[in-house]
């Protein structure tokens, strides 16, 4: 949690303040050498968070101490305690800001971030990251003000909200068409007709939406077309594209690169890449049955010998 009144900073900002590289800052764990510096990130979060005000005060004190050749005497500004409506919360912390009876499962809450039916408000603040092609921040840490989440919860219908439609009661009249959503659906169908091999990443860039949203639109449009079962069609396209990319760059293609290219989750990309590597290795073994582990490692650009050995053993077992 980033308390109200605190300017958040991550490792990169901290490194800039102390005039070192971010790698040096992390290697030396300089934050551990400042006794009263408080980490603001929750346990298990992927990014260390600090108070920029504390970092600046620590830097000034270190420069003073160095000038007079004595040990620093850190006297850092305090970090506010307690809760405030303007505290900044990450995605998981936002869930636990709700009353217990209003909370959903964490997996459901994460799905709300990019949901189409139930969706969280846009974050109030993003720390770090870069701007993607759709104008949204990519790779940053998202935060919501406590009050933003509480207000959103009060106004959403559903479990625990008496203003929602009772379970089992049908709507008395159809919901009005969302014009913007309809335009996106129409544009998706048009692009599929023009480019049958359209990927979620390409659609996301064209529509200016997140790749997860684009994949839902793409899936729905292909389901409506009825040409091939959705799972079969998407799987074929992704396997074919993965093999094309692997053939073009045997030693350089990685799961993160493939995930970005296909607009899929990294775990899915890892499965596709592993299958493509197995197929490629079978072809190579047909020509050179005595390939060694080191040759496989070099061919696919593995940095760990065990990965090459596992792949080679897997392919030989299934021959």
């Amino acid at each position: 949690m980033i308390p109200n009144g605190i300017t958040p900073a991550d490792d990169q900002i901290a490194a800039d303040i102390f005039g070192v590289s971010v790698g040096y800052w992390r290697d030396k764990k300089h934050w551990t050498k400042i006794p009263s510096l408080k980490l603001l990130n929750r346990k298990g979060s992927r990014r260390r968070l600090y108070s920029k005000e504390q970092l600046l005060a620590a830097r000034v004190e270190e420069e003073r101490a160095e000038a007079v050749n004595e040990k620093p005497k850190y006297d850092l500004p305090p970090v506010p305690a307690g809760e405030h409506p303007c505290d900044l919360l990450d995605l998981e912390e936002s869930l636990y800001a709700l009353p217990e009876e209003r909370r959903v499962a964490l997996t459901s809450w994460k799905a709300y971030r990019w949901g189409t039916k139930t969706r969280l408000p846009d974050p109030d603040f993003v720390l770090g990251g870069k701007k993607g092609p759709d104008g949204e921040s990519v790779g940053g840490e998202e935060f919501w003000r406590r009050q933003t989440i509480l207000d959103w919860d009060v106004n959403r219908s559903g479990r625990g909200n008496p203003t929602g439609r009772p379970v089992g009661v049908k709507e008395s009249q159809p919901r009005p068409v969302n014009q913007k959503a309809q335009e996106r659906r129409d544009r998706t169908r048009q692009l599929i007709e023009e480019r049958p091999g359209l990927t979620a990443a390409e659609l996301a860039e064209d529509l200016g939406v997140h790749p997860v949203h684009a994949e839902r639109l793409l899936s729905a449009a292909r389901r409506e077309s009825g040409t091939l079962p959705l799972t079969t069609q998407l799987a074929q396209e992704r396997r074919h594209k993965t093999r094309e990319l692997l053939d073009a760059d045997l030693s350089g293609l990685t799961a993160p690169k493939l995930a970005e290219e296909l607009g899929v989750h990294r775990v899915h990309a890892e499965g596709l890449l592993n299958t493509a590597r197995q197929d490629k290795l079978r072809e190579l073994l047909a020509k050179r049955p005595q390939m060694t582990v080191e040759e496989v490692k070099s061919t696919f650009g593995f940095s760990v010998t065990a990965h090459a050995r596992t792949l080679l053993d897997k392919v030989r077992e299934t021959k």
Side-chain angles (χ1 to χ4, degrees), residues 7 15 83 98 100 122 133-134 158 185 199 234 309:
T7 305
E83 296 182 357
L98 300 179
E100 187 173 357
D122 290 336
D134 57 1
R185 288 192 291 268
T199 67
L234 286 178
R309 182 177 293 109

Side-chain angles (χ1 to χ4, degrees), residues 47-297:
R47 189 186 300 263
R48 268 181 298 275
L49 299 175
Y50 318 88
S51 160
K52 188 174 183 179
E53 289 78 10
Q54 285 197 331
L55 290 172
L56 290 169
R59 176 59 172 161
V60 168
E61 171 57 20
E62 288 185 6
E63 290 178 340
R64 183 204 66 78
E66 183 179 359
V68 297
N69 195 28
E70 65 179 34
K71 290 184 178 180
K73 300 173 183 178
Y74 298 106
D75 183 17
L76 307 186
V79 172
E83 296 182 357
H84 189 279
C86 290
D87 292 338
L88 289 171
L89 312 176
D90 69 14
L91 184 59
E92 188 169 329
E93 290 168 338
S94 296
L95 170 61
Y96 294 104
L98 300 179
E100 187 173 357
E101 68 276 8
R102 295 286 296 162
R103 297 173 196 161
V104 298
L106 181 58
T107 51
S108 299
W109 185 255
K110 290 179 178 179
Y112 286 177
R113 175 62 187 98
W114 302 109
T116 54
K117 292 184 178 179
T118 301
R119 178 164 179 163
L120 295 177
D122 290 336
D124 294 303
F125 176 75
V126 179
L127 179 63
K130 299 179 180 179
K131 290 291 183 182
D134 57 1
E136 295 189 16
S137 180
V138 178
E141 187 86 3
E142 297 179 333
F143 295 89
W144 288 260
R145 291 190 182 90
R146 187 184 302 276
Q147 193 62 51
T148 297
I149 292 297
L150 295 177
D151 289 345
W152 170 85
D153 181 62
V154 167
N155 292 313
R156 74 180 173 113
S157 59
R159 183 175 65 182
N161 190 332
T163 62
R165 179 160 50 90
V167 176
V169 176
K170 296 182 178 180
E171 293 179 290
S172 58
Q173 58 185 7
R175 296 184 182 183
V177 176
N178 184 316
Q179 188 60 37
K180 190 171 184 179
Q182 185 61 49
E183 290 173 359
R184 286 173 174 166
R185 288 192 291 268
D186 292 342
R187 176 61 176 164
T188 301
R189 285 192 290 268
Q190 177 190 344
L191 289 174
I192 287 177
E193 291 176 2
E194 296 173 356
R195 295 150 56 190
L198 181 71
T199 67
E202 292 169 338
L203 180 61
E205 184 173 356
D206 186 279
L207 298 180
V209 299
H210 192 276
V212 175
H213 188 185
E215 188 157 4
R216 292 195 186 99
L217 290 167
L218 197 57
S219 299
R222 284 184 169 140
R223 191 183 301 115
E224 291 171 4
S225 69
T227 52
L228 276 175
L230 175 63
T231 53
T232 302
Q233 185 175 10
L234 286 178
Q236 286 180 352
E237 291 174 0
R238 287 171 177 166
R239 283 196 296 268
H240 179 71
K241 184 65 174 177
T242 300
R243 183 54 191 271
E244 282 186 349
L245 293 170
L246 183 64
D247 286 340
D249 190 5
L250 270 179
S251 62
L253 184 62
T254 63
K257 289 181 182 178
L258 181 61
E260 183 177 355
E261 183 71 30
L262 299 182
V264 299
H265 193 278
R266 178 172 174 172
V267 174
H268 189 181
E270 287 175 350
L272 289 167
L273 184 55
N274 187 48
T275 299
R277 282 172 173 163
Q278 290 181 34
D279 291 341
K280 183 66 178 179
L281 184 54
R282 287 190 187 94
E283 295 176 5
L284 295 174
L285 287 173
K287 299 175 183 177
R288 297 160 53 200
Q290 303 306 317
M291 280 188 74
T292 66
V293 171
E294 286 303 316
E295 287 175 327
V296 173
K297 179 182 176 182

Side-chain angles (χ1 to χ4, degrees), residues 5-78:
I6 293 297
T7 305
D10 58 7
D11 279 346
Q12 182 62 66
I13 295 173
D16 291 343
I17 289 173
F18 283 81
V20 297
S21 70
V22 68
Y24 184 89
W25 171 265
R26 290 168 178 164
D27 289 343
K28 297 300 181 181
K29 295 182 171 56
H30 193 79
W31 62 90
T32 64
K33 301 173 184 177
I34 307 173
S36 50
L37 181 65
K38 183 175 181 179
L39 292 181
L40 305 180
N41 52 290
R42 61 176 172 78
K43 185 178 181 181
S45 61
R46 64 188 180 92
R47 189 186 300 263
R48 268 181 298 275
L49 299 175
Y50 318 88
S51 160
K52 188 174 183 179
E53 289 78 10
Q54 285 197 331
L55 290 172
L56 290 169
R59 176 59 172 161
V60 168
E61 171 57 20
E62 288 185 6
E63 290 178 340
R64 183 204 66 78
E66 183 179 359
V68 297
N69 195 28
E70 65 179 34
K71 290 184 178 180
K73 300 173 183 178
Y74 298 106
D75 183 17
L76 307 186

